[in-house]
Amino acid sequence: MARMKFLCDAERCIECNGCVTACKNANEVPWGVNRRRVITLKDGEPGEKSISVACMHCTDAPCAAVCPVDCFYTTPDGIVLHDKDLCIGCGYCFYACPFGAPQYPQKEAFGVRGKMDKCTFCAGGPLPDNSAEEYKKYGSNRIAEGKLPACAEMCATKALLAGDGDMVADIYRKRITKRGGRPKTWGWETAYPPSRS
Amino acid sequence: MYRGILFSLLGALTLAALGGCYQSPDTHIYEPGVYKGGSDPLLTLEKTPKQQQRLQERFSLIQTDR
């Protein structure tokens, strides 16, 4: 059984925001909600790098662990989804998520939160596949159509990879071997430089 | 005699009305950490080898380096 994962190759990401646009377009995400964002590190400095971030569909998802109404479930392919009919919009999952993936549409005045919305790996939700209700509530279900997430398929530089974790890792490993190293924008040496310790 | 019937009818109605206000004292306890939402047909679809093959073919077609 495949284990679906995202991987963003920072050496290839050119901060075009094509993935963000593709996600918005494919899922008709409401105004104010971004299921995917491009983060730039060292912006304007030498060594600037960008990475595309969304729900990482964690194997042991902290959002699911803290949900008081247990509205999260994981598919056999490892995609973390949730039921919006059960969600109470409490925001616990937002605090638990290390990637800031859960988003809340502002429904009323005074910042009242609506139901949580997040990346579904283009796999919809707990409704009949590719039905009008599923599209309205969760967005498109490309996985049921045998397709991969729109963000990764639209990536012009193939920086964003989505699919079976083993296959994604194989591609990335080959790239690393060809380049002869990993980016130094983050990692142990960046967090704890030798000069500080 | 009619008064007796009327009183007994009123009594029965009062009992029925009060009975409608009854609330079960039993607490419904949910099992923590167990998904309680609706079923997703994708879960059964994903287990089929055909679907797995479709996704693998799609990955090889779209995601691999040119």
Side-chain angles (χ1 to χ4, degrees):
Chain A
M1 190 66 69
R3 183 133 206 110
M4 293 300 186
K5 290 290 170 198
F6 279 120
L7 189 143
C8 184
D9 188 345
E11 292 293 308
R12 285 191 173 215
C13 183
I14 55 170
E15 203 194 345
C16 70
N17 278 280
C19 49
V20 179
T21 314
C23 175
K24 281 262 187 190
N25 189 44
N27 300 302
E28 291 204 25
V29 183
W31 180 256
V33 173
N34 275 326
R35 289 183 177 182
R36 178 166 286 286
R37 281 158 295 152
V38 177
I39 310 290
T40 304
L41 305 167
K42 290 188 176 178
D43 197 1
E45 294 171 26
E48 176 186 313
K49 291 279 183 299
S50 294
I51 41 167
S52 179
V53 184
C55 171
M56 298 300 278
H57 300 276
C58 307
T59 306
D60 186 9
C63 53
V66 299
C67 181
V69 291
D70 293 317
C71 72
F72 289 91
Y73 64 102
T74 306
T75 70
D77 271 352
I79 303 169
V80 179
L81 300 173
H82 73 295
D83 188 340
K84 283 192 182 178
D85 290 333
L86 275 184
C87 176
I88 54 172
C90 66
Y92 277 23
C93 51
F94 176 76
Y95 295 118
C97 178
F99 305 101
Q103 305 278 301
Y104 302 86
Q106 193 181 322
K107 288 279 181 191
E108 297 163 41
F110 309 114
V112 175
R113 282 188 295 226
K115 308 274 186 183
M116 187 273 276
D117 190 90
K118 74 168 190 71
C119 160
T120 63
F121 209 85
C122 285
L127 284 171
D129 290 340
N130 292 309
S131 60
E133 312 93 75
E134 187 189 44
Y135 185 75
K136 193 179 172 191
K137 214 176 262 186
Y138 302 99
S140 60
N141 192 341
R142 293 168 59 88
I143 294 290
E145 292 172 349
K147 297 174 185 169
L148 291 164
C151 53
E153 289 201 353
M154 287 290 286
C155 184
T157 58
K158 293 190 192 293
L160 186 62
L161 300 170
D164 179 19
D166 291 336
M167 294 174 86
V168 169
D170 277 345
I171 291 176
Y172 194 63
R173 202 177 298 119
K174 277 177 197 161
R175 287 182 188 176
I176 292 286
T177 315
K178 206 171 179 182
R179 281 182 214 142
R182 52 170 289 279
K184 302 284 183 222
T185 319
W186 59 82
W188 190 265
E189 291 87 1
T190 311
Y192 305 102
S195 55
R196 282 194 204 166
S197 55
Chain B
M1 190 189 158
Y2 288 117
R3 188 179 266 187
I5 295 167
L6 192 70
F7 274 124
S8 53
L9 266 173
L10 270 173
L13 279 171
T14 313
L15 277 174
L18 285 172
C21 299
Y22 175 78
Q23 205 173 15
S24 171
D26 299 333
T27 312
H28 193 100
I29 299 169
Y30 288 104
E31 196 65 34
V34 180
Y35 173 62
K36 296 172 188 75
S39 61
D40 189 351
L42 187 72
L43 302 188
T44 45
L45 179 71
E46 275 190 359
K47 285 176 186 164
T48 58
K50 194 186 166 192
Q51 172 70 1
Q52 295 290 320
Q53 197 187 341
R54 274 169 86 196
L55 290 173
Q56 277 187 9
E57 281 171 7
R58 184 82 177 181
F59 186 88
S60 306
L61 191 72
I62 307 271
Q63 300 276 274
T64 45
D65 286 338
R66 293 183 188 100

